[in-house]
Amino acid sequence: EVVERTVDDPEAEARRLEAAIREAREETRALFAWAEAHAGHEEAGIFDAQELFLEDKELADAALRTIRERRANAEFAWREACGEFAARLAALEDDYLAARAADVADVAERVLRRLAGGQGGRAALREPSIVAARDLTPSEVRSLDPEMVLGLCLEGSSAGAHSVILA
């Protein structure tokens, strides 16, 4: 859960966010390499698109503005900026572009995990299982151990969803 806190040093908080975004970009490149090796070059393009979100100056500037103007913590500022950006995408009439809101959410979580000090890792399944979820992000698909996942049952995905393509 991300809550707004007031910070004493907004510039230090801004640097923390910028570092988390850089680290998330590196992770995204690693996800691209994994997807390319396991699903093919075209499918790996999912992560090229996600990297563009991490390079989006407007998105980063919105979060940095919140940090500096409201003296807000980086987690809150990033979650708010990504939430607004994803909502704008989801509201578009173009189904393909509207579906990119899920990619923004994936990118947002990757940065938030870095801000919280986490590195991510494999989902902990103790025995071969069918994974049932509302949806999965492409990063979450990567975290699944293929030796333990017998199948996926996803409520909110379509056959063309990035997570389904990678799975």
Side-chain angles (χ1 to χ4, degrees):
E1 184 178 334
V2 175
V3 295
E4 184 174 11
R5 293 182 294 104
T6 301
V7 297
D8 294 329
D9 188 351
E11 288 310 311
E13 202 67 6
R15 288 189 299 275
R16 200 166 74 83
L17 176 60
E18 290 166 341
I21 292 171
R22 273 193 310 278
E23 292 169 5
R25 266 199 309 266
E26 291 171 15
E27 182 181 352
T28 303
R29 288 185 199 110
L31 286 165
F32 176 90
W34 169 82
E36 188 173 44
H38 291 87
H41 183 76
E42 187 174 327
E43 290 78 4
I46 293 163
F47 294 107
D48 274 341
Q50 286 192 0
E51 189 170 356
L52 292 175
F53 291 128
L54 289 166
E55 294 172 352
D56 188 285
K57 186 166 173 37
E58 181 183 326
L59 182 58
D61 284 350
L64 292 169
R65 222 177 2 267
T66 299
I67 290 171
R68 290 180 175 120
E69 292 174 3
R70 292 172 52 178
R71 301 180 72 84
N73 55 312
E75 295 87 348
F76 175 82
W78 180 251
R79 169 67 52 92
E80 185 173 85
C82 287
E84 291 171 4
F85 191 70
R88 286 197 313 267
L89 284 173
L92 294 173
E93 290 184 23
D94 181 307
D95 290 341
Y96 178 81
L97 290 175
R100 298 299 59 86
D103 290 316
V104 173
D106 193 14
V107 164
E109 289 303 316
R110 200 171 301 138
V111 172
L112 287 171
R113 196 171 56 251
R114 296 293 181 178
L115 288 169
Q119 300 296 318
R122 291 244 181 238
L125 296 174
R126 298 189 198 315
E127 59 187 73
S129 306
I130 295 175
V131 176
R134 186 185 165 315
D135 203 357
L136 291 174
T137 65
S139 295
E140 289 169 328
V141 169
R142 167 61 180 104
S143 75
L144 296 172
D145 181 349
E147 298 294 319
M148 299 300 274
V149 177
L150 299 174
L152 297 174
C153 178
L154 303 176
E155 176 187 358
S157 288
S158 67
H162 286 167
S163 56
V164 173
I165 291 168
L166 289 176

